[in-house]
Amino acid sequence: MDIKGVAALVVGGASGLGAATARALARAGAKVSVLDFNIELAQAVAAEIGGFAAQCNVTSSDSAEAAVAAARQAHGAARILVNTAGIAPAAKIVGKNGPMPLDEFRKGIEVNLVGTFNTLRLAAADMMKLDPLADGERGVIVNTASVAGYEGQIGQASYASSKGGVIALTIQAAREFAASGIRVCTIAPGLFETPMMAGLPENVRASLAVTVPFPQRLGRAEEYAKQALNIVESVYLNGETIRLDAALRMAAR
């Protein structure tokens, strides 16, 4: 897809991987709407790139519908959706204080998996109404999973399950939307410099970096954004989950 002039939604675009992707899409000429629960940060990113911002709670159908509608009003129906909103809850299934509270498990599923599905369904419905472009393409959706969806570590039950669900959703949605010319791919990042990672002590971050085979460092948000744009531009890339992890395979703990 030629990105120039196309409307794009970046969910979770106020920081980290999403903000980097919003900036990259804007540089490529897209009309970018930044959707995020943190409206102040979303507005700051939107002002920087000349885009639009809307508050969006991905776990709420009403909130997501209102945010997508506001973005549609600002830029027209989006042909590009990038889902980056997520949380990383950490708890053992059975810890020192007994079994994990069910609501703690449910929260990760709600934000990471249900939230991804929520915005995917809304954006796809809009894309189906658009005229096809070259190759019959109407739109492209890029979701965010994690290597934890393949190799969940101890204490990542909710996170790994939610990201595994996003991986499973990828081929299913790609098959369902194929008749409408809508592609669906997912990026599964390894260890990346994100706001969640930035909250860890420097020695912990350094110890994580040395576990990465090559290059032996944490991934950069701009590298995620570059991969997202490559998916958007590569029409034959569909139904795939791409590991972006520098050959990392997560240990048990």
Side-chain angles (χ1 to χ4, degrees):
M1 180 184 293
D2 184 357
I3 295 173
K4 189 172 183 180
V6 171
L9 305 175
V10 182
V11 182
S15 62
L17 306 179
T21 304
R23 294 183 182 106
L25 284 166
R27 285 194 300 270
K31 298 178 291 184
V32 181
S33 292
V34 180
L35 277 52
D36 202 285
F37 187 77
N38 190 324
I39 186 60
E40 291 81 10
L41 287 180
Q43 289 171 335
V45 173
E48 175 191 337
I49 64 176
F52 173 78
Q55 187 171 42
C56 181
N57 176 356
V58 295
T59 67
S60 164
S61 58
D62 290 345
S63 177
E65 288 168 13
V68 171
R72 186 191 311 121
Q73 182 68 27
H75 292 155
R79 290 190 185 271
I80 300 169
L81 167 66
V82 183
N83 274 316
T84 66
I87 59 173
K92 288 184 176 181
I93 299 170
V94 180
K96 294 179 180 178
N97 297 319
M100 177 195 302
L102 189 57
D103 282 346
E104 287 187 20
F105 181 83
R106 184 179 285 118
K107 185 175 181 180
I109 303 297
E110 282 288 326
V111 175
N112 297 341
L113 178 54
V114 177
T116 294
F117 178 81
N118 192 10
T119 52
L120 175 146
R121 71 187 178 95
L122 297 173
D126 274 354
M127 291 174 188
M128 289 177 183
K129 300 171 186 175
L130 297 172
D131 293 331
L133 303 173
D135 291 319
E137 187 177 28
R138 284 187 170 86
V140 57
I141 296 168
V142 181
N143 297 320
T144 305
S146 166
V147 295
Y150 297 101
E151 300 122 27
Q153 295 183 294
I154 293 171
Q156 288 187 327
S158 177
Y159 185 66
S161 297
S162 66
K163 294 302 187 178
V166 173
I167 292 167
L169 177 63
T170 303
I171 186 62
Q172 188 281 326
R175 287 169 165 171
E176 182 172 330
F177 298 160
S180 299
I182 299 168
R183 296 185 291 117
V184 183
C185 284
T186 291
I187 301 172
L191 298 175
F192 267 67
E193 290 275 11
T194 64
M196 287 186 287
M197 188 69 74
L200 298 176
E202 180 59 36
N203 64 318
V204 174
R205 294 169 64 208
S207 67
L208 290 172
V210 298
T211 67
V212 181
F214 182 81
Q216 200 168 75
R217 58 169 173 79
L218 301 180
R220 298 169 184 141
E222 293 76 17
E223 291 170 315
Y224 173 97
K226 185 176 181 179
Q227 184 61 69
L229 265 64
N230 178 62
I231 292 171
V232 172
E233 294 174 328
S234 301
V235 180
Y236 206 66
L237 192 53
N238 191 16
E240 188 61 70
T241 297
I242 300 170
R243 292 184 68 126
L244 191 61
D245 60 13
L248 176 69
R249 296 297 181 268
M250 300 296 287
R253 63 178 76 227

